[in-house]
Amino acid sequence: VLTRTNTAASEIATYLIHHQIKVVSPESLLITQSPKVALLLAVFRYLDRKDSSLARAELIHFAFQLSGNPLPDTAFRFPADASDFESYFTELTSIQLRSDFLHIGKLTDLINQLTTIFVLEANDPFLQFFADEVLLFTSRYGNRIAEFLTWWDRVKETKSIIYPESMDAVRVMTIHKSKGLQFPVVILADAVEE
C-alpha cells in the first residue's frame, strides 16, 4: 500500500493491524504502537507519580483497551489515596496491582512481573524489543523509572522492532520510499485529492 504521507501510512498500518492483518512498515513497527507496551509505560508512569490523576487514568484506559471490555462511564472517578486507587483498580479490572509487591528497583524484573500480572505474552515481539530497550537503558543509566520515562519520551519515535524482509505481510510505505522497488500488487491509498 502506497501513500503520499507518513501520517496516512501510519493510519493505514494501524487499521490493518487492528484487523489482525500482518503489516510491515516503519510506522507500524514502532514499539510505541503496541498497546501492551503502552500499558507497561502507563504502569511505569503510575509508579513514578502515584498521585497523578493522568497516570491513573492512562493505566485504567490501557488496561481496558487490552482487555477488550467496554470502559465503564464511572471508570475515572477513582479515589485520591494510592492504596485505595490500587484496590479500586483491582475491583474495576480484576487485575491485582499492588505496587508494594513490585520490584521497582530493577526495571527488567519489573517488566517480567507486569507481564505476569497483566497476563501478557512474553514472546510478543513488541514486548521483547521494549524489554531490550529497558535493558540497554539500565545498563547505561541505572534503574530509575523517572529517568527512564524521560529518556523514552526522547527516543520512542526511533525505536522499532525488526522483521525480516521476507515476512509475508502487507507493506505500507510512502510513494517516496517505494521508488525503485517492485511489488506484484500495489494499492495507491490516497491517489485522489479532494
Side-chain angles (χ1 to χ4, degrees):
V1 177
L2 300 181
T3 68
R4 290 183 181 195
T5 66
N6 283 328
T7 303
S10 181
E11 289 172 1
I12 291 168
T14 301
Y15 176 84
L16 294 172
I17 289 169
H18 180 74
H19 286 85
Q20 310 302 316
I21 297 171
K22 291 182 182 176
V23 175
V24 175
S25 89
E27 293 77 21
S28 69
L29 300 179
L30 286 174
I31 295 172
T32 56
Q33 292 284 11
S34 166
K36 295 172 186 174
V37 171
L39 175 63
L40 293 181
L41 287 165
V43 175
F44 278 23
R45 286 188 191 95
Y46 168 72
L47 293 173
D48 182 47
R49 302 228 16 235
K50 291 182 185 178
D51 60 332
S52 168
S53 294
L54 181 59
R56 293 175 184 195
E58 223 180 28
L59 178 56
I60 290 170
H61 168 76
F62 287 116
F64 269 92
Q65 182 184 26
L66 263 182
S67 74
N69 296 326
L71 192 63
D73 294 335
T74 59
F76 299 118
R77 295 185 193 141
F78 39 76
D81 184 61
S83 62
D84 291 341
F85 170 76
E86 291 174 13
S87 297
Y88 173 76
F89 181 81
T90 299
E91 190 178 303
L92 191 64
T93 62
S94 301
I95 298 168
Q96 187 75 28
L97 181 65
R98 300 270 315 271
S99 61
D100 49 336
F101 291 121
L102 295 175
H103 297 294
I104 297 172
K106 191 165 184 193
L107 296 181
T108 51
D109 289 346
L110 179 59
I111 288 176
N112 291 334
Q113 276 187 298
L114 295 174
T115 300
T116 302
I117 289 168
F118 288 97
V119 194
L120 303 175
E121 299 167 36
N123 62 350
D124 179 275
F126 288 94
L127 290 178
Q128 289 176 345
F129 275 79
F130 180 67
D132 290 346
E133 291 299 330
V134 170
L135 182 61
L136 177 68
F137 173 85
T138 58
S139 68
R140 291 180 180 169
Y141 307 111
N143 277 290
R144 293 201 168 150
I145 291 176
E147 290 173 8
F148 172 78
L149 291 171
T150 301
W151 175 81
W152 182 254
D153 284 339
R154 214 174 48 247
V155 301
K156 66 185 175 188
E157 296 302 323
T158 64
K159 302 297 181 180
S160 60
I161 64 172
I162 301 164
Y163 273 125
E165 291 289 321
S166 61
M167 184 177 144
D168 184 26
V170 175
R171 292 190 169 291
V172 180
M173 64 182 70
T174 62
I175 293 169
H176 177 75
K177 289 181 185 172
S178 71
K179 288 183 181 165
L181 300 177
Q182 284 184 308
F183 302 100
V185 177
V186 176
I187 298 170
L188 296 174
D190 52 1
V192 178
E193 277 192 47
E194 293 181 19

